[in-house]
Amino acid sequence: MTSITLTFDNGPDPDVTPRVLETLRRHQIQSTFFVLGEKMRDRRSVAEHAHAEGHWIGNHTYNHIVPLGMSVERGIAAGEIQRTEELIGDLAHPHRFFRPFGGGGLLDRRLLNREALKHLRDNAYTCVLWNVVPEDWARPETWVERALDMSFAQTHALVVLHDLPTGAMRDLDRFISLAKDRGATFRQDFPKSCIPIERGELTQSVQSIETYVSEDAYSTS
Ligand SMILES: [Zn+2]
């Protein structure tokens, strides 16, 4: 039996996000939107709408240009997280969800640098990774079958989608309907295996966390 948690990254988008919300409402599914600080500046009302409907709002960096693990200039990584959290303000979940990004959805050392890791720990963030990336941005016409195959390979799938104007979200309803037909249930919470940091505490071994952090030497200090 598979359960599926949906997440939507890189928004909010003034056109796509409301359509996603409408689809989720129709299916009575609650999800999380990992927003960009840059887009929150003038589109906060879209995120407010999502929050009011019971969706969780998480932080996905300010401008999503350089993965934090590739950021070498001091202060940039912490600033990307902090500025965005300020713009999210009272829409933030009490567990302060943060999702890093790398390249093509890979879970590797591009996700975080040491400064980002320290900022997440010091400020009691919960780091939310993923286990299903169907690349909806790259295959807006064909992501659904891929997402179904990948989701049903998991007991609890944490799926990354994007509320971006690629056209992919036109098929969100089809994905949900087919997944339900195959017996999946939808839930809002995340699988433990995708949460390496919970409210600032490491939930996995240092060796495991290290695989997400650039720089060879990792210290718990
Ligand atoms: Zn992203």
Side-chain angles (χ1 to χ4, degrees):
M1 186 67 161
T2 287
S3 59
I4 298 176
T5 297
L6 294 178
T7 58
F8 300 89
D9 291 7
N10 295 42
D13 181 274
D15 300 316
V16 181
T17 309
R19 290 213 308 265
V20 166
L21 289 173
E22 204 275 316
T23 302
L24 296 174
R25 194 182 314 130
R26 195 155 11 91
H27 285 280
Q28 297 183 296
I29 292 172
Q30 299 202 300
S31 69
T32 301
F33 290 83
F34 287 95
V35 300
L36 300 188
E38 186 180 65
K39 293 185 179 176
M40 286 294 278
R41 292 179 71 91
D42 56 353
R43 301 174 186 173
R44 196 171 188 278
S45 62
V46 181
E48 286 168 359
H49 191 180
H51 180 263
E53 295 196 4
H55 301 285
W56 294 336
I57 307 298
N59 179 330
H60 192 43
T61 76
Y62 186 79
N63 65 23
H64 202 285
I65 293 173
V66 179
L68 300 189
M70 294 172 73
S71 173
V72 288
E73 203 180 320
R74 197 177 179 146
I76 296 289
E80 283 272 333
I81 300 169
Q82 192 173 353
R83 286 170 81 191
T84 304
E85 200 66 15
E86 282 165 9
L87 287 157
I88 293 171
D90 60 4
L91 302 183
H93 188 279
H95 291 199
R96 310 187 83 179
F97 297 134
F98 172 77
R99 170 173 280 168
F101 67 99
L106 295 175
L107 295 168
D108 63 20
R109 288 180 188 273
R110 281 173 291 188
L111 297 183
L112 298 172
N113 65 7
R114 184 185 295 270
E115 178 184 284
L117 177 63
K118 180 170 167 32
H119 188 82
L120 294 176
R121 296 188 70 186
D122 289 351
N123 296 281
Y125 281 91
T126 297
C127 183
V128 183
L129 302 179
W130 54 82
N131 58 25
V132 173
V133 179
E135 298 186 341
D136 59 301
W137 71 89
R139 22 183 132 228
E141 313 288 331
T142 56
W143 66 271
V144 167
E145 282 65 32
R146 189 176 159 86
L148 288 168
D149 288 347
M150 295 172 88
S151 296
F152 281 87
Q154 302 283 342
T155 310
H156 182 177
L158 175 40
V159 183
V160 178
L161 297 172
H162 296 81
D163 46 338
L164 289 172
T166 60
M169 289 304 96
R170 284 190 213 114
D171 278 339
L172 179 61
D173 183 84
R174 192 163 73 86
F175 171 72
I176 294 170
S177 299
L178 288 170
K180 282 182 169 174
D181 287 349
R182 288 200 205 172
T185 54
F186 284 84
R187 57 197 284 183
Q188 192 171 19
D189 63 327
F190 309 118
K192 287 270 178 223
S193 59
C194 295
I195 307 289
I197 305 168
E198 187 164 26
R199 304 175 93 170
E201 301 297 327
L202 302 187
T203 63
Q204 300 175 0
S205 70
V206 168
Q207 288 81 356
S208 169
I209 302 284
E210 205 179 330
T211 64
Y212 308 131
V213 183
S214 59
E215 284 190 5
D216 294 337
Y218 170 83
S219 146
T220 51
S221 64

mmCIF file of all heavy atoms in Angstrom, residues 117-161:
data_model
loop_
_atom_site.group_PDB
_atom_site.id
_atom_site.type_symbol
_atom_site.label_atom_id
_atom_site.label_comp_id
_atom_site.label_asym_id
_atom_site.label_seq_id
_atom_site.Cartn_x
_atom_site.Cartn_y
_atom_site.Cartn_z
ATOM 1 N N LEU A 117 24.059 24.506 6.782
ATOM 2 C CA LEU A 117 23.777 23.475 7.786
ATOM 3 C C LEU A 117 23.728 24.082 9.189
ATOM 4 O O LEU A 117 22.817 23.804 9.972
ATOM 5 C CB LEU A 117 24.838 22.377 7.705
ATOM 6 C CG LEU A 117 24.716 21.257 8.747
ATOM 7 C CD1 LEU A 117 23.393 20.495 8.568
ATOM 8 C CD2 LEU A 117 25.893 20.296 8.641
ATOM 9 N N LYS A 118 24.688 24.927 9.478
ATOM 10 C CA LYS A 118 24.731 25.556 10.798
ATOM 11 C C LYS A 118 23.499 26.449 11.004
ATOM 12 O O LYS A 118 22.878 26.442 12.069
ATOM 13 C CB LYS A 118 26.028 26.379 10.937
ATOM 14 C CG LYS A 118 26.160 27.074 12.289
ATOM 15 C CD LYS A 118 27.546 27.663 12.465
ATOM 16 C CE LYS A 118 27.687 28.628 13.640
ATOM 17 N NZ LYS A 118 26.874 28.375 14.811
ATOM 18 N N HIS A 119 23.129 27.189 9.975
ATOM 19 C CA HIS A 119 21.963 28.075 10.093
ATOM 20 C C HIS A 119 20.692 27.264 10.341
ATOM 21 O O HIS A 119 19.853 27.639 11.168
ATOM 22 C CB HIS A 119 21.827 28.923 8.820
ATOM 23 C CG HIS A 119 20.783 29.980 8.932
ATOM 24 N ND1 HIS A 119 21.006 31.194 9.537
ATOM 25 C CD2 HIS A 119 19.476 29.994 8.550
ATOM 26 C CE1 HIS A 119 19.893 31.907 9.515
ATOM 27 N NE2 HIS A 119 18.957 31.201 8.909
ATOM 28 N N LEU A 120 20.553 26.153 9.647
ATOM 29 C CA LEU A 120 19.365 25.310 9.824
ATOM 30 C C LEU A 120 19.308 24.747 11.241
ATOM 31 O O LEU A 120 18.255 24.700 11.873
ATOM 32 C CB LEU A 120 19.353 24.167 8.801
ATOM 33 C CG LEU A 120 19.207 24.570 7.328
ATOM 34 C CD1 LEU A 120 19.305 23.336 6.433
ATOM 35 C CD2 LEU A 120 17.882 25.291 7.073
ATOM 36 N N ARG A 121 20.474 24.328 11.737
ATOM 37 C CA ARG A 121 20.514 23.742 13.088
ATOM 38 C C ARG A 121 20.293 24.814 14.155
ATOM 39 O O ARG A 121 19.515 24.628 15.082
ATOM 40 C CB ARG A 121 21.854 23.034 13.305
ATOM 41 C CG ARG A 121 22.020 21.850 12.359
ATOM 42 C CD ARG A 121 23.247 21.048 12.706
ATOM 43 N NE ARG A 121 23.053 20.343 13.965
ATOM 44 C CZ ARG A 121 23.996 19.647 14.583
ATOM 45 N NH1 ARG A 121 25.204 19.596 14.074
ATOM 46 N NH2 ARG A 121 23.731 19.020 15.699
ATOM 47 N N ASP A 122 20.969 25.934 14.011
ATOM 48 C CA ASP A 122 20.878 26.990 15.024
ATOM 49 C C ASP A 122 19.478 27.595 15.113
ATOM 50 O O ASP A 122 19.087 28.124 16.150
ATOM 51 C CB ASP A 122 21.870 28.123 14.710
ATOM 52 C CG ASP A 122 23.318 27.712 14.941
ATOM 53 O OD1 ASP A 122 23.542 26.622 15.502
ATOM 54 O OD2 ASP A 122 24.217 28.489 14.545
ATOM 55 N N ASN A 123 18.756 27.555 13.995
ATOM 56 C CA ASN A 123 17.448 28.207 13.967
ATOM 57 C C ASN A 123 16.288 27.209 13.906
ATOM 58 O O ASN A 123 15.167 27.567 13.540
ATOM 59 C CB ASN A 123 17.386 29.198 12.800
ATOM 60 C CG ASN A 123 18.374 30.333 12.977
ATOM 61 O OD1 ASN A 123 18.126 31.274 13.731
ATOM 62 N ND2 ASN A 123 19.530 30.229 12.329
ATOM 63 N N ALA A 124 16.587 25.968 14.294
ATOM 64 C CA ALA A 124 15.546 24.938 14.482
ATOM 65 C C ALA A 124 14.692 24.685 13.244
ATOM 66 O O ALA A 124 13.473 24.525 13.318
ATOM 67 C CB ALA A 124 14.659 25.302 15.680
ATOM 68 N N TYR A 125 15.347 24.659 12.077
ATOM 69 C CA TYR A 125 14.626 24.309 10.852
ATOM 70 C C TYR A 125 14.475 22.795 10.725
ATOM 71 O O TYR A 125 15.245 22.021 11.314
ATOM 72 C CB TYR A 125 15.389 24.807 9.617
ATOM 73 C CG TYR A 125 15.214 26.275 9.342
ATOM 74 C CD1 TYR A 125 16.093 27.207 9.886
ATOM 75 C CD2 TYR A 125 14.171 26.729 8.536
ATOM 76 C CE1 TYR A 125 15.939 28.563 9.634
ATOM 77 C CE2 TYR A 125 14.010 28.085 8.275
ATOM 78 C CZ TYR A 125 14.901 28.989 8.829
ATOM 79 O OH TYR A 125 14.748 30.344 8.576
ATOM 80 N N THR A 126 13.504 22.402 9.907
ATOM 81 C CA THR A 126 13.327 21.010 9.516
ATOM 82 C C THR A 126 13.641 20.923 8.032
ATOM 83 O O THR A 126 13.011 21.606 7.218
ATOM 84 C CB THR A 126 11.876 20.557 9.790
ATOM 85 O OG1 THR A 126 11.645 20.634 11.203
ATOM 86 C CG2 THR A 126 11.622 19.143 9.285
ATOM 87 N N CYS A 127 14.644 20.112 7.689
ATOM 88 C CA CYS A 127 15.081 19.999 6.297
ATOM 89 C C CYS A 127 14.287 18.885 5.613
ATOM 90 O O CYS A 127 14.306 17.739 6.062
ATOM 91 C CB CYS A 127 16.583 19.706 6.267
ATOM 92 S SG CYS A 127 17.254 19.618 4.613
ATOM 93 N N VAL A 128 13.589 19.243 4.550
ATOM 94 C CA VAL A 128 12.693 18.300 3.871
ATOM 95 C C VAL A 128 13.255 17.955 2.500
ATOM 96 O O VAL A 128 13.271 18.802 1.601
ATOM 97 C CB VAL A 128 11.275 18.911 3.725
ATOM 98 C CG1 VAL A 128 10.331 17.903 3.084
ATOM 99 C CG2 VAL A 128 10.733 19.377 5.081
ATOM 100 N N LEU A 129 13.723 16.720 2.325
ATOM 101 C CA LEU A 129 14.219 16.280 1.025
ATOM 102 C C LEU A 129 13.083 15.603 0.266
ATOM 103 O O LEU A 129 11.944 16.040 0.361
ATOM 104 C CB LEU A 129 15.451 15.382 1.212
ATOM 105 C CG LEU A 129 16.608 16.066 1.975
ATOM 106 C CD1 LEU A 129 17.786 15.111 2.140
ATOM 107 C CD2 LEU A 129 17.041 17.344 1.282
ATOM 108 N N TRP A 130 13.318 14.520 -0.424
ATOM 109 C CA TRP A 130 12.319 13.922 -1.310
ATOM 110 C C TRP A 130 12.760 12.523 -1.701
ATOM 111 O O TRP A 130 13.922 12.159 -1.515
ATOM 112 C CB TRP A 130 12.172 14.790 -2.578
ATOM 113 C CG TRP A 130 13.470 15.041 -3.269
ATOM 114 C CD1 TRP A 130 14.108 14.220 -4.138
ATOM 115 C CD2 TRP A 130 14.330 16.191 -3.107
ATOM 116 N NE1 TRP A 130 15.300 14.789 -4.534
ATOM 117 C CE2 TRP A 130 15.465 15.985 -3.916
ATOM 118 C CE3 TRP A 130 14.236 17.371 -2.357
ATOM 119 C CZ2 TRP A 130 16.501 16.905 -3.997
ATOM 120 C CZ3 TRP A 130 15.282 18.287 -2.441
ATOM 121 C CH2 TRP A 130 16.387 18.058 -3.257
ATOM 122 N N ASN A 131 11.833 11.733 -2.251
ATOM 123 C CA ASN A 131 12.239 10.446 -2.825
ATOM 124 C C ASN A 131 11.646 10.197 -4.218
ATOM 125 O O ASN A 131 11.914 9.153 -4.814
ATOM 126 C CB ASN A 131 11.967 9.277 -1.860
ATOM 127 C CG ASN A 131 10.513 9.173 -1.446
ATOM 128 O OD1 ASN A 131 9.619 9.630 -2.170
ATOM 129 N ND2 ASN A 131 10.264 8.566 -0.284
ATOM 130 N N VAL A 132 10.868 11.150 -4.727
ATOM 131 C CA VAL A 132 10.338 11.025 -6.091
ATOM 132 C C VAL A 132 10.458 12.377 -6.808
ATOM 133 O O VAL A 132 9.866 13.363 -6.369
ATOM 134 C CB VAL A 132 8.860 10.569 -6.085
ATOM 135 C CG1 VAL A 132 8.279 10.624 -7.502
ATOM 136 C CG2 VAL A 132 8.728 9.152 -5.524
ATOM 137 N N VAL A 133 11.231 12.395 -7.890
ATOM 138 C CA VAL A 133 11.357 13.599 -8.720
ATOM 139 C C VAL A 133 11.044 13.204 -10.162
ATOM 140 O O VAL A 133 11.924 12.722 -10.885
ATOM 141 C CB VAL A 133 12.777 14.203 -8.636
ATOM 142 C CG1 VAL A 133 12.887 15.438 -9.526
ATOM 143 C CG2 VAL A 133 13.123 14.566 -7.200
ATOM 144 N N PRO A 134 9.805 13.360 -10.605
ATOM 145 C CA PRO A 134 9.463 12.924 -11.969
ATOM 146 C C PRO A 134 9.878 13.903 -13.062
ATOM 147 O O PRO A 134 9.605 13.661 -14.233
ATOM 148 C CB PRO A 134 7.934 12.792 -11.895
ATOM 149 C CG PRO A 134 7.518 13.746 -10.832
ATOM 150 C CD PRO A 134 8.624 13.785 -9.827
ATOM 151 N N GLU A 135 10.572 14.979 -12.680
ATOM 152 C CA GLU A 135 11.061 15.970 -13.653
ATOM 153 C C GLU A 135 9.922 16.565 -14.481
ATOM 154 O O GLU A 135 10.003 16.630 -15.713
ATOM 155 C CB GLU A 135 12.144 15.362 -14.544
ATOM 156 C CG GLU A 135 13.356 14.915 -13.745
ATOM 157 C CD GLU A 135 14.505 14.428 -14.621
ATOM 158 O OE1 GLU A 135 14.270 14.101 -15.799
ATOM 159 O OE2 GLU A 135 15.644 14.370 -14.109
ATOM 160 N N ASP A 136 8.904 17.015 -13.774
ATOM 161 C CA ASP A 136 7.750 17.613 -14.462
ATOM 162 C C ASP A 136 8.150 18.848 -15.277
ATOM 163 O O ASP A 136 7.540 19.155 -16.285
ATOM 164 C CB ASP A 136 6.658 17.985 -13.455
ATOM 165 C CG ASP A 136 7.150 18.965 -12.398
ATOM 166 O OD1 ASP A 136 8.110 18.636 -11.673
ATOM 167 O OD2 ASP A 136 6.589 20.073 -12.303
ATOM 168 N N TRP A 137 9.217 19.541 -14.823
ATOM 169 C CA TRP A 137 9.649 20.746 -15.558
ATOM 170 C C TRP A 137 10.256 20.394 -16.909
ATOM 171 O O TRP A 137 10.140 21.163 -17.864
ATOM 172 C CB TRP A 137 10.653 21.551 -14.706
ATOM 173 C CG TRP A 137 12.001 20.883 -14.585
ATOM 174 C CD1 TRP A 137 13.057 21.042 -15.429
ATOM 175 C CD2 TRP A 137 12.428 19.952 -13.586
ATOM 176 N NE1 TRP A 137 14.112 20.254 -15.008
ATOM 177 C CE2 TRP A 137 13.757 19.583 -13.887
ATOM 178 C CE3 TRP A 137 11.818 19.384 -12.453
ATOM 179 C CZ2 TRP A 137 14.491 18.676 -13.107
ATOM 180 C CZ3 TRP A 137 12.543 18.491 -11.679
ATOM 181 C CH2 TRP A 137 13.851 18.142 -12.008
ATOM 182 N N ALA A 138 10.874 19.222 -17.002
ATOM 183 C CA ALA A 138 11.559 18.832 -18.236
ATOM 184 C C ALA A 138 10.653 18.034 -19.169
ATOM 185 O O ALA A 138 10.910 17.966 -20.365
ATOM 186 C CB ALA A 138 12.801 18.017 -17.913
ATOM 187 N N ARG A 139 9.633 17.389 -18.593
ATOM 188 C CA ARG A 139 8.723 16.573 -19.409
ATOM 189 C C ARG A 139 7.280 16.888 -19.038
ATOM 190 O O ARG A 139 6.576 16.023 -18.495
ATOM 191 C CB ARG A 139 9.016 15.084 -19.254
ATOM 192 C CG ARG A 139 9.740 14.720 -17.991
ATOM 193 C CD ARG A 139 10.098 13.263 -17.870
ATOM 194 N NE ARG A 139 11.476 13.122 -17.488
ATOM 195 C CZ ARG A 139 12.332 12.300 -18.096
ATOM 196 N NH1 ARG A 139 11.926 11.534 -19.060
ATOM 197 N NH2 ARG A 139 13.583 12.231 -17.686
ATOM 198 N N PRO A 140 6.845 18.103 -19.345
ATOM 199 C CA PRO A 140 5.504 18.528 -18.920
ATOM 200 C C PRO A 140 4.369 17.695 -19.517
ATOM 201 O O PRO A 140 3.271 17.664 -18.961
ATOM 202 C CB PRO A 140 5.426 19.995 -19.373
ATOM 203 C CG PRO A 140 6.511 20.176 -20.377
ATOM 204 C CD PRO A 140 7.582 19.193 -20.012
ATOM 205 N N GLU A 141 4.645 16.990 -20.617
ATOM 206 C CA GLU A 141 3.588 16.193 -21.248
ATOM 207 C C GLU A 141 3.571 14.751 -20.739
ATOM 208 O O GLU A 141 2.565 14.062 -20.899
ATOM 209 C CB GLU A 141 3.785 16.142 -22.773
ATOM 210 C CG GLU A 141 4.064 17.478 -23.449
ATOM 211 C CD GLU A 141 2.833 18.358 -23.500
ATOM 212 O OE1 GLU A 141 1.723 17.800 -23.549
ATOM 213 O OE2 GLU A 141 2.991 19.597 -23.472
ATOM 214 N N THR A 142 4.677 14.289 -20.181
ATOM 215 C CA THR A 142 4.787 12.851 -19.920
ATOM 216 C C THR A 142 5.189 12.496 -18.489
ATOM 217 O O THR A 142 5.542 11.357 -18.205
ATOM 218 C CB THR A 142 5.835 12.221 -20.874
ATOM 219 O OG1 THR A 142 7.079 12.916 -20.707
ATOM 220 C CG2 THR A 142 5.405 12.315 -22.321
ATOM 221 N N TRP A 143 5.155 13.478 -17.590
ATOM 222 C CA TRP A 143 5.637 13.206 -16.232
ATOM 223 C C TRP A 143 4.722 12.288 -15.443
ATOM 224 O O TRP A 143 5.179 11.637 -14.494
ATOM 225 C CB TRP A 143 5.861 14.519 -15.476
ATOM 226 C CG TRP A 143 4.607 15.299 -15.196
ATOM 227 C CD1 TRP A 143 4.022 16.234 -15.995
ATOM 228 C CD2 TRP A 143 3.777 15.195 -14.027
ATOM 229 N NE1 TRP A 143 2.877 16.716 -15.411
ATOM 230 C CE2 TRP A 143 2.704 16.106 -14.211
ATOM 231 C CE3 TRP A 143 3.817 14.432 -12.852
ATOM 232 C CZ2 TRP A 143 1.684 16.261 -13.255
ATOM 233 C CZ3 TRP A 143 2.803 14.589 -11.910
ATOM 234 C CH2 TRP A 143 1.757 15.492 -12.116
ATOM 235 N N VAL A 144 3.451 12.211 -15.812
ATOM 236 C CA VAL A 144 2.489 11.498 -14.970
ATOM 237 C C VAL A 144 2.830 10.013 -14.847
ATOM 238 O O VAL A 144 2.871 9.465 -13.736
ATOM 239 C CB VAL A 144 1.047 11.695 -15.497
ATOM 240 C CG1 VAL A 144 0.083 10.715 -14.831
ATOM 241 C CG2 VAL A 144 0.593 13.133 -15.238
ATOM 242 N N GLU A 145 3.099 9.344 -15.962
ATOM 243 C CA GLU A 145 3.394 7.904 -15.923
ATOM 244 C C GLU A 145 4.665 7.648 -15.113
ATOM 245 O O GLU A 145 4.742 6.708 -14.332
ATOM 246 C CB GLU A 145 3.537 7.339 -17.340
ATOM 247 C CG GLU A 145 2.200 7.100 -18.032
ATOM 248 C CD GLU A 145 1.405 8.367 -18.300
ATOM 249 O OE1 GLU A 145 2.020 9.437 -18.533
ATOM 250 O OE2 GLU A 145 0.154 8.301 -18.248
ATOM 251 N N ARG A 146 5.642 8.510 -15.340
ATOM 252 C CA ARG A 146 6.906 8.399 -14.601
ATOM 253 C C ARG A 146 6.664 8.604 -13.100
ATOM 254 O O ARG A 146 7.179 7.857 -12.265
ATOM 255 C CB ARG A 146 7.845 9.479 -15.148
ATOM 256 C CG ARG A 146 9.246 9.421 -14.690
ATOM 257 C CD ARG A 146 10.004 10.532 -15.438
ATOM 258 N NE ARG A 146 11.227 10.907 -14.753
ATOM 259 C CZ ARG A 146 12.387 10.286 -14.921
ATOM 260 N NH1 ARG A 146 12.477 9.270 -15.753
ATOM 261 N NH2 ARG A 146 13.446 10.689 -14.254
ATOM 262 N N ALA A 147 5.865 9.582 -12.765
ATOM 263 C CA ALA A 147 5.578 9.873 -11.352
ATOM 264 C C ALA A 147 4.830 8.713 -10.704
ATOM 265 O O ALA A 147 5.074 8.374 -9.536
ATOM 266 C CB ALA A 147 4.772 11.164 -11.236
ATOM 267 N N LEU A 148 3.935 8.089 -11.460
ATOM 268 C CA LEU A 148 3.191 6.938 -10.914
ATOM 269 C C LEU A 148 4.143 5.780 -10.653
ATOM 270 O O LEU A 148 4.139 5.190 -9.566
ATOM 271 C CB LEU A 148 2.088 6.500 -11.883
ATOM 272 C CG LEU A 148 0.883 7.444 -11.992
ATOM 273 C CD1 LEU A 148 0.020 7.058 -13.193
ATOM 274 C CD2 LEU A 148 0.052 7.445 -10.715
ATOM 275 N N ASP A 149 4.978 5.459 -11.634
ATOM 276 C CA ASP A 149 5.933 4.352 -11.468
ATOM 277 C C ASP A 149 6.846 4.601 -10.273
ATOM 278 O O ASP A 149 7.078 3.717 -9.453
ATOM 279 C CB ASP A 149 6.801 4.197 -12.725
ATOM 280 C CG ASP A 149 6.009 3.629 -13.892
ATOM 281 O OD1 ASP A 149 4.889 3.135 -13.657
ATOM 282 O OD2 ASP A 149 6.517 3.698 -15.030
ATOM 283 N N MET A 150 7.372 5.811 -10.195
ATOM 284 C CA MET A 150 8.315 6.128 -9.113
ATOM 285 C C MET A 150 7.601 6.135 -7.755
ATOM 286 O O MET A 150 8.166 5.691 -6.750
ATOM 287 C CB MET A 150 8.975 7.485 -9.380
ATOM 288 C CG MET A 150 9.857 7.504 -10.614
ATOM 289 S SD MET A 150 10.436 9.173 -11.021
ATOM 290 C CE MET A 150 11.918 9.232 -10.042
ATOM 291 N N SER A 151 6.394 6.631 -7.711
ATOM 292 C CA SER A 151 5.656 6.705 -6.432
ATOM 293 C C SER A 151 5.312 5.308 -5.916
ATOM 294 O O SER A 151 5.453 5.029 -4.722
ATOM 295 C CB SER A 151 4.369 7.513 -6.598
ATOM 296 O OG SER A 151 4.675 8.850 -6.921
ATOM 297 N N PHE A 152 4.870 4.441 -6.823
ATOM 298 C CA PHE A 152 4.466 3.103 -6.374
ATOM 299 C C PHE A 152 5.652 2.200 -6.067
ATOM 300 O O PHE A 152 5.478 1.101 -5.547
ATOM 301 C CB PHE A 152 3.484 2.481 -7.375
ATOM 302 C CG PHE A 152 2.082 3.011 -7.198
ATOM 303 C CD1 PHE A 152 1.682 4.165 -7.846
ATOM 304 C CD2 PHE A 152 1.190 2.399 -6.314
ATOM 305 C CE1 PHE A 152 0.415 4.695 -7.650
ATOM 306 C CE2 PHE A 152 -0.077 2.920 -6.114
ATOM 307 C CZ PHE A 152 -0.463 4.074 -6.787
ATOM 308 N N ALA A 153 6.853 2.675 -6.339
ATOM 309 C CA ALA A 153 8.061 1.951 -5.905
ATOM 310 C C ALA A 153 8.394 2.264 -4.448
ATOM 311 O O ALA A 153 9.289 1.655 -3.864
ATOM 312 C CB ALA A 153 9.238 2.323 -6.803
ATOM 313 N N GLN A 154 7.679 3.230 -3.870
ATOM 314 C CA GLN A 154 7.920 3.645 -2.482
ATOM 315 C C GLN A 154 6.746 3.218 -1.604
ATOM 316 O O GLN A 154 5.616 3.105 -2.084
ATOM 317 C CB GLN A 154 8.019 5.184 -2.398
ATOM 318 C CG GLN A 154 9.105 5.810 -3.253
ATOM 319 C CD GLN A 154 10.494 5.651 -2.659
ATOM 320 O OE1 GLN A 154 10.648 5.365 -1.468
ATOM 321 N NE2 GLN A 154 11.502 5.822 -3.491
ATOM 322 N N THR A 155 7.007 3.043 -0.319
ATOM 323 C CA THR A 155 5.905 2.831 0.627
ATOM 324 C C THR A 155 5.226 4.169 0.907
ATOM 325 O O THR A 155 4.002 4.282 0.922
ATOM 326 C CB THR A 155 6.447 2.246 1.952
ATOM 327 O OG1 THR A 155 7.267 1.147 1.630
ATOM 328 C CG2 THR A 155 5.306 1.793 2.844
ATOM 329 N N HIS A 156 6.067 5.160 1.154
ATOM 330 C CA HIS A 156 5.564 6.524 1.350
ATOM 331 C C HIS A 156 6.353 7.433 0.414
ATOM 332 O O HIS A 156 7.527 7.709 0.656
ATOM 333 C CB HIS A 156 5.732 6.935 2.828
ATOM 334 C CG HIS A 156 5.194 8.307 3.142
ATOM 335 N ND1 HIS A 156 5.197 8.830 4.415
ATOM 336 C CD2 HIS A 156 4.633 9.259 2.354
ATOM 337 C CE1 HIS A 156 4.659 10.052 4.393
ATOM 338 N NE2 HIS A 156 4.324 10.342 3.157
ATOM 339 N N ALA A 157 5.705 7.848 -0.652
ATOM 340 C CA ALA A 157 6.366 8.678 -1.668
ATOM 341 C C ALA A 157 6.268 10.150 -1.286
ATOM 342 O O ALA A 157 5.188 10.628 -0.924
ATOM 343 C CB ALA A 157 5.716 8.458 -3.028
ATOM 344 N N LEU A 158 7.394 10.836 -1.378
ATOM 345 C CA LEU A 158 7.395 12.294 -1.197
ATOM 346 C C LEU A 158 7.769 12.888 -2.553
ATOM 347 O O LEU A 158 8.934 12.843 -2.985
ATOM 348 C CB LEU A 158 8.390 12.701 -0.101
ATOM 349 C CG LEU A 158 8.621 14.191 0.161
ATOM 350 C CD1 LEU A 158 7.340 14.997 0.104
ATOM 351 C CD2 LEU A 158 9.277 14.383 1.512
ATOM 352 N N VAL A 159 6.755 13.397 -3.235
ATOM 353 C CA VAL A 159 6.888 13.773 -4.642
ATOM 354 C C VAL A 159 7.152 15.271 -4.782
ATOM 355 O O VAL A 159 6.442 16.087 -4.202
ATOM 356 C CB VAL A 159 5.593 13.419 -5.412
ATOM 357 C CG1 VAL A 159 5.747 13.732 -6.903
ATOM 358 C CG2 VAL A 159 5.215 11.957 -5.205
ATOM 359 N N VAL A 160 8.162 15.603 -5.574
ATOM 360 C CA VAL A 160 8.467 17.003 -5.893
ATOM 361 C C VAL A 160 7.833 17.360 -7.231
ATOM 362 O O VAL A 160 8.172 16.783 -8.263
ATOM 363 C CB VAL A 160 9.987 17.244 -6.007
ATOM 364 C CG1 VAL A 160 10.265 18.700 -6.391
ATOM 365 C CG2 VAL A 160 10.700 16.893 -4.714
ATOM 366 N N LEU A 161 6.923 18.330 -7.205
ATOM 367 C CA LEU A 161 6.369 18.903 -8.434
ATOM 368 C C LEU A 161 6.621 20.405 -8.387
ATOM 369 O O LEU A 161 7.140 20.914 -7.388
ATOM 370 C CB LEU A 161 4.865 18.591 -8.541
ATOM 371 C CG LEU A 161 4.517 17.097 -8.637
ATOM 372 C CD1 LEU A 161 3.013 16.878 -8.548
ATOM 373 C CD2 LEU A 161 5.067 16.500 -9.938
#
